[in-house]
């Protein structure tokens, strides 16, 4: 689903990438291939005009902008989950 040309599924990708700080582990967690997760990260980077995750030594670390967005995205996903859960009861 798109909102203002943004694929809302990328919010889930963003959340998992920041929690895992690994494209491979995030892909595994979301049952995606590593290339599919890399492509999703590429779309996030293009839309946000930010690297989101950058290589630091052998680790991927979130950018300052991504870190600032993380709690807002996490709350939005929790709110969406609560909304869906409440509507199915």
């Amino acid at each position: 689903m798109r909102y203002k040309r943004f694929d809302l599924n990328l919010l889930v990708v963003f959340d998992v990438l920041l929690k895992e700080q690994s494209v491979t582990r995030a892909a595994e967690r979301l049952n995606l291939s590593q290339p599919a997760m890399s492509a999703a990260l590429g779309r996030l980077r293009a839309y946000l005009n930010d690297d989101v995750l950058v290589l630091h030594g052998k680790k991927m670390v979130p950018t300052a902008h991504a870190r600032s967005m993380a709690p807002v995205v996490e709350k939005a996903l929790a709110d969406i989950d609560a909304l869906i859960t409440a509507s199915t009861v």
Side-chain angles (χ1 to χ4, degrees):
M1 179 173 185
R2 296 197 178 276
Y3 179 76
K4 296 186 180 182
R5 297 183 8 205
F6 182 78
D7 179 354
L8 295 175
N9 292 310
L10 291 177
L11 293 177
V12 175
V13 168
F14 177 90
D15 186 57
V16 174
L17 279 168
L18 263 65
K19 287 177 179 169
E20 294 295 335
Q21 295 186 15
S22 162
V23 173
T24 301
R25 286 194 311 269
E28 290 169 358
R29 190 163 155 192
L30 293 177
N31 296 312
L32 296 172
S33 68
Q34 193 276 339
M37 183 58 73
S38 290
L41 176 56
R43 289 192 306 275
L44 273 169
R45 286 173 166 164
Y47 190 87
L48 299 174
N49 196 28
D50 182 76
D51 285 335
V52 181
L53 286 175
V54 293
L55 196 57
H56 184 72
K58 292 187 178 189
K59 295 177 71 175
M60 296 291 282
V61 295
T63 63
H65 182 60
R67 282 193 310 272
S68 73
M69 288 181 56
V72 177
V73 171
E74 189 172 3
K75 170 111 173 56
L77 291 173
D79 288 347
I80 291 167
D81 187 52
L83 178 66
I84 292 168
T85 301
S87 68
T88 59
V89 177

